Amino acid sequence: MLLTVVSAGHADFDFESIEGLTPGEQYRQLSLLMLVAGGVDPQLLALLEADNAAVQERANLKLDDFVTPLVRIVNPDTLLDNAAQMIRFAQQHRAEIEERMTAIVQANPILISMVDVNAIAADAIIIRNSIADSIEYSEVIDDPERPRLLENFRDQTIYLRNMMEYNEFQEKLASITNQAIIDLGGRLDAYQRMFNEDVDDDLIRRRVESAQIMNEQTGSRYEDQAMMRNTELLMMLILMESQVRR
């Protein structure tokens, strides 16, 4: 993405900027925005916004610009200027963001069921770390509360990383368990055929009926998985925000 430097401007965080994107990409960006802004202390946001007046050149950064090498050529205060606007937008429009995410899930269950929540969390961690590093090295933000607020922000980011790693562990464990069940069922079926020369018509009929039922439930399964993805993101946000602040 291109970085446009202007004399005065605002970060590119608004609903209109994502209207032309696919539902999956809209969902990803809204989720990413929520995780980046989640749990930011009002005092920390006030420090970032107070820093805005000191920025001589403003750069319009898109959300995804924060996870690219592009941010390495942006001075810390410009990055924080954009971050402050992004966080403020997310906090002011949280209810609408959640409504949009839920609507996308309901309208596109198959698509959202394939969303990688952990990948979104990983990007959020990168962005939050970039913000934290910029706060630490900023020469403009000079407030006695900065160390405490920054430590709280970093702690929340670590907690988000822990939740992401736990989700990855759960998914791997579920995959291993499911494969073990499939393998066991296949072996039992093979043993039955070895010791039973007669064809079990009832067994065949039951399996055909089971296949039909599974086919009918496929749509419902995707809807459940999509809602589960949405719930995982909201749980990450809630648990991260629930961390006790010092």
Side-chain angles (χ1 to χ4, degrees), residues 31-119:
S31 302
L32 182 58
L33 180 62
M34 292 289 282
L35 290 178
V36 170
V40 174
D41 193 296
Q43 284 184 268
L44 180 59
L45 179 57
L47 288 181
L48 297 180
E49 291 179 328
D51 177 46
N52 289 356
V55 180
Q56 299 300 317
E57 290 185 335
R58 299 182 185 274
N60 284 349
L61 295 179
K62 296 182 183 295
L63 182 58
D64 281 336
D65 290 337
F66 282 85
V67 293
T68 68
L70 181 66
V71 296
R72 298 173 187 170
I73 63 173
V74 176
N75 70 69
D77 296 316
T78 299
L79 187 147
L80 294 178
D81 173 40
N82 281 263
Q85 295 175 57
M86 172 180 64
I87 294 168
R88 175 63 68 187
F89 176 84
Q91 291 186 350
Q92 290 180 339
H93 299 86
R94 174 165 178 165
E96 185 174 354
I97 291 173
E98 291 182 359
E99 289 176 1
R100 283 174 174 255
M101 289 173 61
T102 300
I104 293 173
V105 169
Q106 293 173 344
N108 307 273
I110 296 178
L111 182 63
I112 304 304
S113 70
M114 296 183 288
V115 167
D116 189 343
V117 174
N118 290 331

Side-chain angles (χ1 to χ4, degrees), residues 73-219:
I73 63 173
V74 176
N75 70 69
D77 296 316
T78 299
L79 187 147
L80 294 178
D81 173 40
N82 281 263
Q85 295 175 57
M86 172 180 64
I87 294 168
R88 175 63 68 187
F89 176 84
Q91 291 186 350
Q92 290 180 339
H93 299 86
R94 174 165 178 165
E96 185 174 354
I97 291 173
E98 291 182 359
E99 289 176 1
R100 283 174 174 255
M101 289 173 61
T102 300
I104 293 173
V105 169
Q106 293 173 344
N108 307 273
I110 296 178
L111 182 63
I112 304 304
S113 70
M114 296 183 288
V115 167
D116 189 343
V117 174
N118 290 331
I120 297 175
D123 284 345
I125 291 169
I126 293 174
I127 295 175
R128 289 176 67 96
N129 284 335
S130 296
I131 294 172
D133 291 342
S134 296
I135 293 173
E136 185 170 358
Y137 295 113
S138 173
E139 297 179 355
V140 177
I141 299 179
D142 184 17
D143 188 284
E145 287 292 291
R146 182 175 73 169
R148 178 184 66 83
L149 295 171
L150 179 57
E151 184 178 2
N152 286 339
F153 184 73
R154 287 193 185 278
D155 286 347
Q156 289 176 328
T157 304
I158 292 173
Y159 196 72
L160 175 60
R161 185 193 65 193
N162 291 342
M163 287 187 286
M164 179 189 72
E165 292 175 348
Y166 176 76
N167 284 343
E168 290 176 342
F169 169 77
Q170 287 287 82
E171 290 177 1
K172 290 179 181 178
L173 180 61
S175 176
I176 293 172
T177 302
N178 290 337
Q179 188 59 48
I181 293 173
I182 293 173
D183 291 344
L184 178 60
R187 291 192 183 97
L188 291 175
D189 188 52
Y191 286 139
Q192 180 184 14
R193 290 197 300 271
M194 285 173 59
F195 295 105
N196 188 359
E197 296 179 356
D198 297 329
V199 176
D200 191 336
D201 294 332
D202 289 337
L203 178 61
I204 294 176
R205 177 180 53 78
R206 289 197 300 271
R207 288 184 174 173
V208 171
E209 291 175 351
S210 297
Q212 292 173 339
I213 294 173
M214 290 175 63
N215 186 54
E216 293 172 357
Q217 292 178 341
T218 297

